[in-house]
Amino acid sequence: MSSDAPSAARTRHRGVPYRTCLRGPNRHRRQNAGVDITELATRAEALVRPGRRAILGISGPPGAGKTTLARKLVARLRADSIPVAHVPMDGFHLADAALVERGRLTAKGAIDTFDGFGYLALLRRLRAETDHDVFAPDFERSLEQPLAGALTITPDVRLVVTEGNYLLDESDPWPAVQAAMDEVWFVDLEEDRRRSRLLDRHIAFGKEPAAARAWVDEVDEPNARRVTARRHVADLVIQHERQT
């Protein structure tokens, strides 16, 4: 929830599907929601309030479909004339030069290979600075590198959709990251499908199959376990494979 809301308002229905929230009597049941993009867009649009910019986070393990969902959600909101921007957390990957300096190049994607405090600073700027353009980094998959100032968030944007693995993590600065957002959703995907997608992605971007499998096993999966352990604190849990 955003930091400008009173603490007494922290009454999130953790892991509750949108329809259950609407029904009222069942609002405390922790169930999964299928991906109905219309329903999700309605929920996202409800975060927008006059005089402030809303921020929606989408979390989940590597390969679960966070970026795909974020892009579809943004496209649907724009079709509904909602001024929205997509700002991935991946822009805060440390560059390879910084990872080499820290001896962490072979762990790229782990939580300590991101500039979490820089990401938090951007979220706070996005919330507060609505009278001028705010520039944000993006991540170029073909280069596997962050690109500074690649995204422009214009003053008319009323909702920012951001996504990344560690939005719900309990280590610093991630609780403050979560507090800077209005809601954080968690995208889940059946494990075999998720691993298969990761393997295909690594191969598509240049890894040999054996190296790609090793990376999934030794790097991606420990990260995935860490991320999934915080699934229960999300405002909404989405089963991505039931997309409609």
Side-chain angles (χ1 to χ4, degrees):
M1 182 171 289
S2 62
S3 57
D4 58 347
S7 58
R10 281 188 175 275
T11 56
R12 295 176 171 185
H13 306 308
R14 301 294 188 185
V16 180
Y18 187 49
R19 288 178 181 169
T20 301
C21 288
L22 286 178
R23 287 177 185 144
N26 297 323
R27 63 185 180 276
H28 297 298
R29 293 172 61 192
R30 294 181 178 177
Q31 299 180 2
N32 294 334
V35 182
D36 181 326
I37 201 66
T38 300
E39 187 172 307
L40 294 180
T42 299
R43 180 173 177 134
E45 185 176 347
L47 301 176
V48 178
R49 298 285 187 272
R52 66 187 292 275
R53 177 179 284 155
I55 302 177
L56 168 64
I58 300 176
S59 187
K66 299 180 295 296
T67 300
T68 298
L69 176 60
R71 288 173 176 167
K72 289 184 176 182
L73 180 61
V74 166
R76 177 55 190 262
L77 289 166
R78 286 176 178 164
D80 292 340
S81 300
I82 304 300
V84 58
H86 179 205
V87 182
M89 188 199 85
D90 275 358
F92 288 87
H93 267 285
L94 297 182
D96 283 0
L99 295 177
V100 169
E101 185 179 77
R102 290 160 174 75
R104 295 292 284 163
L105 184 61
T106 57
K108 191 173 185 176
I111 194 167
D112 65 316
T113 67
F114 290 87
D115 178 12
F117 285 98
Y119 180 54
L120 173 60
L122 174 65
L123 294 178
R124 288 172 171 169
R125 287 190 65 202
L126 291 172
R127 179 76 80 188
E129 300 177 25
T130 58
D131 60 348
H132 57 264
D133 290 348
V134 175
F135 298 96
D138 201 357
F139 189 76
E140 177 52 61
R141 284 283 175 191
S142 62
L143 300 174
E144 286 291 305
Q145 295 295 295
L147 296 177
L151 303 174
T152 304
I153 298 84
T154 55
D156 65 302
V157 168
R158 307 317 306 153
L159 173 65
V160 172
V161 177
T162 184
E163 35 92 9
N165 293 344
Y166 302 110
L167 307 188
L168 297 172
D169 200 81
E170 57 188 341
S171 65
D172 285 337
W174 301 99
V177 165
Q178 184 182 359
M181 302 179 188
D182 294 272
E183 288 193 351
V184 181
W185 301 349
F186 189 95
V187 180
D188 214 351
L189 181 64
E190 190 274 326
E191 184 175 351
D192 288 345
R193 289 187 59 198
R194 184 181 59 77
R195 286 176 57 92
S196 176
R197 290 171 62 168
L198 280 174
L199 183 62
D200 291 344
R201 178 193 298 172
H202 289 310
I203 292 172
F205 286 104
K207 285 185 173 66
E208 294 296 324
R213 282 191 292 272
W215 191 278
V216 170
D217 290 339
E218 298 168 15
V219 180
D220 289 330
E221 286 310 292
N223 297 337
R225 288 192 292 272
R226 178 171 186 153
V227 171
T228 302
R230 298 290 292 170
R231 178 183 186 272
H232 65 286
V233 301
D235 295 288
L236 182 72
V237 175
I238 300 165
Q239 292 297 135
H240 194 65
E241 70 268 31
R242 282 167 29 206
Q243 183 168 339
T244 60

